[in-house]
Amino acid sequence: MSLNEFPLCDAHIHPKAAQICSHTEFLLFVNSICEQDFARFPSFSAGRYQFAGIHPWQLRKPKYKNTAYYFDLLERAVRRGFFLGETGLDRLHPNFDLQTEYFRHHFQLAQTYRRPLTFHSVHSDDAVLEILEPPYPKMIYHSFVGSPKAAEPFLKRGCFLSFSLRSLKSPATEETIRTCPADRFLIESDSTEDDPAPLLTELLQKAAEQRQISEQKLQKQILTNMNVLIQG
């Protein structure tokens, strides 16, 4: 069994980078950071699943105070078949109350329409967990960094953990990469413009080494996990 028997799976990539990827060699979760990203694309094309989201870093722009307008845009995208993300909370950026309002709306849409949701959390796990109430949609914690203890409440809520190169560089995350349940494990390039293949190949090799399994076995498991998310 060789690696190229399966597509390279990327649980978090952005639209410009996704456009340079071959349709046959990749399975991509393409995350938006603003409405321009999800307005330009269909909800699905071969090997690509589009996510509609307003990234918390965008919320410093005054226009996003018009929550009714942007919440309606998000709901219309979901009705067209989009998944949800990227959203989340980040205490290193301003407008935390507005971030919370947007994140809660993304989460409620995911609950209502039973769509996967991608979120990030920067120094905000406590606030994120307050919002994640049952019934839980399928969720991806993007670029997870933290110990197994930090991961536990998210795993209990059904979250998938997605690991990036940033995750691999964190000593605190090494044990989580080793011990994350196989059926909740994902990798991501988080690429905005560059070809994700080199990053994904490096991630796959390093994560497989840490988990003490073959790259082929890990790649197959990640493909299975992404299909679970797709199938709802």
Side-chain angles (χ1 to χ4, degrees), residues 161-203:
L161 303 184
S162 185
F163 298 97
S164 63
L165 283 181
R166 174 173 168 263
S167 309
L168 290 178
K169 291 174 182 176
S170 162
T173 314
E174 289 182 7
E175 184 63 20
T176 312
I177 292 170
R178 283 195 292 270
T179 61
C180 177
D183 62 355
R184 303 288 186 81
F185 191 98
L186 299 168
I187 62 170
E188 61 175 77
S189 71
D190 197 18
S191 181
T192 55
E193 295 184 351
D194 298 329
D195 180 0
L199 283 172
L200 294 171
T201 301
E202 181 181 356
L203 274 165

Side-chain angles (χ1 to χ4, degrees), residues 93-165:
H93 284 260
N95 301 315
F96 197 76
D97 288 345
L98 189 60
Q99 288 184 43
T100 302
E101 192 174 352
Y102 269 83
F103 179 47
R104 182 175 285 109
H105 186 70
H106 283 79
F107 179 73
Q108 289 171 346
L109 287 174
Q111 285 180 312
T112 300
Y113 291 95
R114 298 183 180 180
R115 296 285 196 271
L117 170 74
T118 293
F119 67 88
H120 85 210
S121 172
V122 179
H123 302 298
S124 303
D125 282 2
D126 56 339
V128 168
L129 288 167
E130 286 182 10
I131 291 171
L132 303 186
E133 297 181 345
Y136 301 121
K138 290 188 169 69
M139 296 176 284
I140 302 169
Y141 190 142
H142 149 59
S143 195
F144 180 83
V145 172
S147 67
K149 184 177 180 181
E152 183 179 359
F154 293 98
L155 291 170
K156 284 183 176 178
R157 288 163 173 79
C159 292
F160 291 71
L161 303 184
S162 185
F163 298 97
S164 63
L165 283 181

Side-chain angles (χ1 to χ4, degrees), residues 41-61:
F41 299 101
S43 60
F44 168 77
S45 59
R48 290 157 171 72
Y49 291 83
Q50 304 286 345
F51 287 60
I54 306 293
H55 194 287
W57 295 0
Q58 296 289 313
L59 299 180
R60 66 181 65 203
K61 298 175 182 177

Side-chain angles (χ1 to χ4, degrees), residues 1-132:
M1 183 186 298
S2 64
L3 286 175
N4 60 15
E5 288 186 43
F6 306 108
L8 271 174
C9 296
D10 193 340
H12 195 99
I13 189 172
H14 295 280
K16 284 186 179 179
Q19 287 181 297
I20 65 174
C21 297
S22 160
H23 288 276
T24 58
E25 296 175 0
F26 291 87
L27 177 60
L28 307 174
F29 284 173
V30 185
N31 278 259
S32 302
I33 65 166
C34 63
E35 68 279 8
Q36 286 85 2
D37 282 348
F38 60 83
R40 292 181 296 168
F41 299 101
S43 60
F44 168 77
S45 59
R48 290 157 171 72
Y49 291 83
Q50 304 286 345
F51 287 60
I54 306 293
H55 194 287
W57 295 0
Q58 296 289 313
L59 299 180
R60 66 181 65 203
K61 298 175 182 177
K63 67 178 184 177
Y64 288 112
K65 291 180 181 178
N66 185 358
T67 55
Y69 175 76
Y70 289 100
F71 288 1
D72 181 64
L73 278 185
L74 285 166
E75 185 161 11
R76 281 190 275 151
V78 173
R79 287 177 175 172
R80 286 164 49 206
F82 280 74
F83 298 163
L84 284 152
E86 176 181 359
T87 180
L89 298 177
D90 187 337
R91 281 199 167 99
L92 298 182
H93 284 260
N95 301 315
F96 197 76
D97 288 345
L98 189 60
Q99 288 184 43
T100 302
E101 192 174 352
Y102 269 83
F103 179 47
R104 182 175 285 109
H105 186 70
H106 283 79
F107 179 73
Q108 289 171 346
L109 287 174
Q111 285 180 312
T112 300
Y113 291 95
R114 298 183 180 180
R115 296 285 196 271
L117 170 74
T118 293
F119 67 88
H120 85 210
S121 172
V122 179
H123 302 298
S124 303
D125 282 2
D126 56 339
V128 168
L129 288 167
E130 286 182 10
I131 291 171
L132 303 186

